[in-house]
Amino acid sequence: MADYKKYVCIICGHIYDEAEGDPDTGVKPGTRWEDVPSDWVCPECGAIKEDFEPA
Amino acid sequence: MHTVVIGSGIGGVTFAQELLKRDAQEKVSLLTYETHGYYSRPLLSHGFTRADIETKIVMRSFEALSEQGINIASGVEVMRLDAASATLVYREGDAEKTLAYDRLVLVTGSGALIPPPFVPQSDMFYVLNSLADLIRLRQLRAKIAAAGKTPRWAVVGGGLIGCELASDLSVAGDKVHLFHAMPRLMERQLVEEDSQALVVLLKESGISVTLDCAVNGFEVNSDSYAVVYDGGRSPDFDCVIVSCGFKPRIELAKQAGLAVGRGILVDDFLRTDKENIYALGDVAEFSDGKVYAYVTPIRNQAIWLAEFLAGNGSEAWMPPFFKPKAKVHGFEASYPYKF
């Protein structure tokens, strides 16, 4: 069982948890950060993936 | 061409970065009164529950932004703007310097709104609008804690910022009393049902909440503050924080003769009524009276304007779908926020 990582939005603090994904935008639970679409944005503030860092 | 940006919040910095991405030849200068670097304003609301906040909140130092090609002048104050000659004057230390621009973008954001009755008592309360404010409050909090006491806060104003602030201080372990003039909390953003859920949540976490409370002013006795309102007073606070809304920083624009309302008036292309001067972010007011004070539309405006000024866009700016969210610990609204 691989360990899932978390990434935090540096603008608003929202956490992307690989284990949970982001179902509201079609990102299934268990989706690795690399596999999250490049046009995905932070659901809280609209920041892009480049504005996230490992939590 | 020389594009000058005033303001180093999310709007100003995003715009400067995005313009350079599209036109690396453009000279981009950014003037800001800030000295702590480019930091996240949303994270100010969690400034008491995160021990590492003072470093974590800074997203990029001004040195790092300079390395990206933005000519940054920090710790400066823009004194006046002359639209006719397309120049501005700013103070840096003891010196006054003049800067000419081809295009000017005003992204000065907003300061805390202080209700007029409180203005004469400004030395009796704090606000939370900037990282400098947060650092002061954290220092005060640390001082009280070092004396072995639990800090007691009065938060005046139960809108979005007041509720976030009350929540964060309470979760950090402090005693908080939230005062609000209206019958329910966050009445501008929430429907009645969500206001009720919010007040229950705050009270359950130990926050005292007084609604329908017209605060008239404050009193101080040694280091103890009282909140005075119609019909009574509430004493024994270590500190009062006023969170009664925000006020767009329009002074520079107004003095320069630009059309202003609550904010700097812009059209759907983010143009002010003076040639080559634009405004975006929460200082900008659209023809429908709207001022956008959330990260998503502000970033969207910044990127749109970079496209437009780089010569790539021809359609007017349209607000994107966005979901405002109060960063109150544990609170999820059941209904969409009003905007």
Side-chain angles (χ1 to χ4, degrees):
Chain A
M1 187 65 176
D3 59 324
Y4 289 113
K5 298 196 176 58
K6 294 182 185 166
Y7 292 80
V8 62
C9 173
I10 63 172
I11 293 182
C12 80
H14 175 80
I15 296 199
Y16 175 82
D17 185 337
E18 289 180 332
E20 295 174 9
D22 184 34
D24 286 343
T25 56
V27 180
K28 295 196 194 46
T31 304
R32 298 290 180 185
W33 185 241
E34 315 77 85
D35 298 325
V36 174
S38 59
D39 62 353
W40 180 87
V41 297
C42 174
E44 286 202 32
C45 79
I48 54 178
K49 282 187 73 180
E50 283 71 26
D51 290 323
F52 279 72
E53 61 179 23
Chain B
M1 270 230 261
H2 185 197
T3 302
V4 174
V5 183
I6 305 181
S8 62
I10 281 167
V13 173
T14 301
F15 167 76
Q17 291 173 325
E18 294 291 320
L19 184 62
L20 276 175
K21 271 189 211 169
R22 286 157 177 79
D23 185 355
Q25 301 312 308
E26 178 73 6
K27 180 177 177 194
V28 179
S29 298
L30 190 148
L31 307 178
T32 175
Y33 78 91
E34 291 280 2
T35 55
H36 291 106
Y38 169 43
Y39 63 88
S40 159
R41 254 161 247 294
L43 287 182
L44 289 174
S45 303
H46 284 178
F48 302 100
T49 46
R50 290 184 61 166
D52 59 353
I53 191 69
E54 290 180 30
T55 43
K56 274 297 177 182
I57 200 170
V58 178
M59 295 188 278
R60 294 272 184 280
S61 67
F62 289 138
E63 291 71 33
L65 292 179
S66 293
E67 279 158 26
Q68 287 181 356
I70 305 171
N71 300 296
I72 302 234
S74 62
V76 306
E77 190 187 345
V78 182
M79 308 301 291
R80 56 190 177 277
L81 165 60
D82 181 5
S85 66
T87 58
L88 55 86
V89 174
Y90 67 95
R91 185 167 58 212
E92 186 165 35
D94 291 327
E96 277 203 357
K97 301 185 177 177
T98 302
L99 191 63
Y101 61 84
D102 295 301
R103 297 177 301 202
L104 178 65
V105 186
L106 302 171
V107 204
T108 48
S110 51
L113 188 153
I114 309 298
F118 300 168
V119 170
Q121 299 187 311
S122 292
D123 59 344
M124 288 201 213
F125 58 83
Y126 288 73
V127 297
L128 180 56
N129 178 255
S130 68
L131 181 50
D133 292 332
L134 178 65
I135 290 171
R136 267 192 290 273
L137 284 166
R138 284 173 55 86
Q139 283 170 352
L140 173 64
R141 186 168 180 267
K143 198 167 136 201
I144 296 167
K149 301 195 291 177
T150 298
R152 300 158 304 173
W153 305 89
V155 177
V156 178
L160 190 147
I161 293 173
C163 291
E164 289 183 337
L165 186 49
S167 167
D168 201 53
L169 287 167
S170 177
V171 169
D174 298 356
K175 189 78 198 74
V176 182
H177 191 145
L178 178 62
F179 299 85
H180 192 44
M182 303 301 279
R184 60 186 182 91
L185 296 174
M186 283 182 61
E187 75 285 350
R188 296 201 184 172
Q189 290 90 5
L190 302 180
V191 300
E192 172 109 35
E193 196 180 304
D194 280 326
S195 285
Q196 296 311 325
L198 176 59
V199 75
V200 166
L201 175 78
L202 295 183
K203 284 181 172 175
E204 274 171 4
S205 64
I207 300 169
S208 304
V209 182
T210 304
L211 301 169
D212 284 310
C213 185
V215 173
N216 300 322
F218 313 102
E219 287 169 357
V220 62
N221 193 349
S222 295
D223 282 325
S224 183
Y225 294 85
V227 174
V228 182
Y229 49 86
D230 284 354
R233 63 195 285 285
S234 195
D236 299 328
F237 295 107
D238 295 304
C239 181
V240 178
I241 305 177
V242 167
S243 49
C244 291
F246 66 91
K247 192 165 166 228
R249 293 195 181 96
I250 63 170
E251 299 76 24
L252 184 72
K254 190 170 173 185
Q255 159 263 306
L258 275 67
V260 300
R262 177 171 178 233
I264 301 173
L265 299 181
V266 296
D267 66 8
D268 291 334
F269 291 83
L270 307 189
R271 296 179 293 216
T272 67
D273 69 335
K274 293 268 189 267
E275 210 182 344
N276 295 316
I277 304 181
Y278 303 80
L280 69 91
D282 55 327
V283 77
E285 180 182 340
F286 289 82
S287 54
D288 59 1
K290 285 204 157 90
V291 169
Y292 293 84
Y294 295 98
V295 170
T296 303
I298 291 175
R299 276 179 56 94
N300 192 275
Q301 288 173 5
I303 295 167
W304 181 91
L305 187 61
E307 279 279 281
F308 184 65
L309 294 185
N312 299 342
S314 56
E315 305 274 320
W317 178 72
M318 299 248 327
F321 171 72
F322 66 100
K323 292 171 56 169
K325 189 176 148 98
K327 303 175 81 60
V328 171
H329 297 278
F331 177 67
E332 292 286 341
S334 302
Y335 295 88
Y337 283 46
K338 298 184 282 182
F339 173 71

